[in-house]
Amino acid sequence: DAGVIQSPRHEVTEMGQEVTLRCKPISGHDYLFWYRQTMMRGLELLIYFNNNVPIDDSGMPEDRFSAKMPNASFSTLKIQPSEPRDSAVYFCASSRRGGNTEAFFGQGTRLTVV
Amino acid sequence: RKEVEQDPGPFNVPEGATVAFNCTYSNSASQSFFWYRQDCRKEPKLLMSVYSSGNEDGRFTAQLNRASQYISLLIRDSKLSDSATYLCVVLNSNYQLIWGAGTKLIIKP
């Protein structure tokens, strides 16, 4: 299995632009997580899905952030409009049965908003 | 107070030494506990789960102290390749995974 696949690996964009991050979870995993990591705040859970349904989006910072999972093999995290404070590494992770099982992470998308 | 707290370090340790660090959690009803390892500019990867009775995997030993609400990770005979950030993860009573900010470990030759 190729593992969790994220794209792009790096994204540099100007403030105000729309940014879309993509994730393909491991086949057969029912849970998908989106995380953001910064030096100041560490790893933060933004949202997670179970069987393509958003379960907890309380970590989404504000309305500029949205996430979708149209099918079991694809998810997007969108930021519109982007701001410099959104600069971070965004990780997607998937797991077979949720919180008490191993989460497998993608390599992350390093987002820089200038 | 954060729900999961770790000493950020860095811990600077000579190669071959033993090093240990703790992670404290505030939710006494937390269910599961894990240590993840994250190399610089890489994604986190599971190092080991932490069981109530304590568990060992080679040079690594993890322990849980429910009374004092902390978990620990001990690394024996440390190697240069052990240099990384070690993240403590706790599954709380709301079935949420809460991540510590990580402890940075640097093994020096």
Side-chain angles (χ1 to χ4, degrees):
Chain A
D1 199 318
V4 176
I5 300 173
Q6 289 187 247
S7 64
R9 290 290 307 279
H10 302 273
E11 177 80 31
V12 180
T13 191
E14 291 185 347
M15 183 174 63
Q17 296 298 306
E18 177 180 296
V19 175
T20 300
L21 311 181
R22 297 173 176 79
C23 175
K24 182 182 186 319
I26 293 173
S27 177
H29 283 192
D30 295 333
Y31 287 80
L32 183 141
F33 307 85
W34 280 102
Y35 288 92
R36 177 173 69 177
Q37 188 174 39
T38 61
M39 287 293 292
M40 290 295 292
R41 300 173 68 92
L43 200 64
E44 302 173 281
L45 177 65
L46 301 176
I47 185 172
Y48 79 90
F49 295 82
N50 176 213
N51 291 322
N52 314 337
V53 177
I55 303 300
D56 183 356
D57 65 354
S58 59
M60 296 286 263
E62 48 199 272
D63 292 345
R64 297 184 298 106
F65 285 68
S66 62
K68 293 182 180 179
M69 192 166 185
N71 57 63
S73 59
F74 184 65
S75 177
T76 59
L77 178 68
K78 186 175 293 186
I79 308 172
Q80 166 64 18
S82 57
E83 298 182 3
R85 61 192 167 122
D86 301 331
S87 298
V89 180
Y90 290 80
F91 286 107
C92 174
S94 70
S95 70
R96 193 174 296 278
R97 291 195 306 275
N100 61 351
T101 56
E102 181 178 359
F104 293 83
F105 284 74
Q107 292 181 300
T109 295
R110 186 170 296 274
L111 174 65
T112 304
V113 183
V114 297
Chain B
R1 182 189 171 190
K2 292 182 180 178
E3 193 165 347
V4 174
E5 292 199 82
Q6 295 183 250
D7 183 335
F11 285 52
N12 290 284
V13 175
E15 189 176 9
T18 295
V19 60
F21 27 84
N22 292 341
C23 163
T24 59
Y25 60 95
S26 60
N27 186 326
S28 60
S30 295
Q31 304 177 41
S32 303
F33 308 87
F34 309 90
W35 284 105
Y36 276 70
R37 170 192 168 130
Q38 186 174 22
D39 293 297
C40 186
R41 303 179 80 84
K42 298 284 189 179
E43 72 275 20
K45 292 183 179 179
L46 180 66
L47 177 66
M48 57 198 305
S49 302
V50 186
Y51 303 124
S52 297
S53 55
N55 48 301
E56 189 174 306
D57 183 2
R59 298 181 294 108
F60 297 81
T61 300
Q63 291 192 313
L64 167 64
N65 186 318
R66 282 197 182 272
S68 300
Q69 294 181 207
Y70 73 87
I71 65 172
S72 64
L73 179 67
L74 183 141
I75 306 173
R76 288 181 299 276
D77 187 25
S78 54
K79 312 290 184 191
L80 295 176
S81 57
D82 294 334
S83 297
T85 296
Y86 291 83
L87 300 163
C88 166
V89 190
V90 174
L91 183 69
N92 69 13
S93 56
N94 295 322
Y95 213 65
Q96 296 171 318
L97 271 180
I98 309 297
W99 292 73
T103 296
K104 186 170 185 177
L105 175 65
I106 300 172
I107 306 298
K108 301 197 167 184

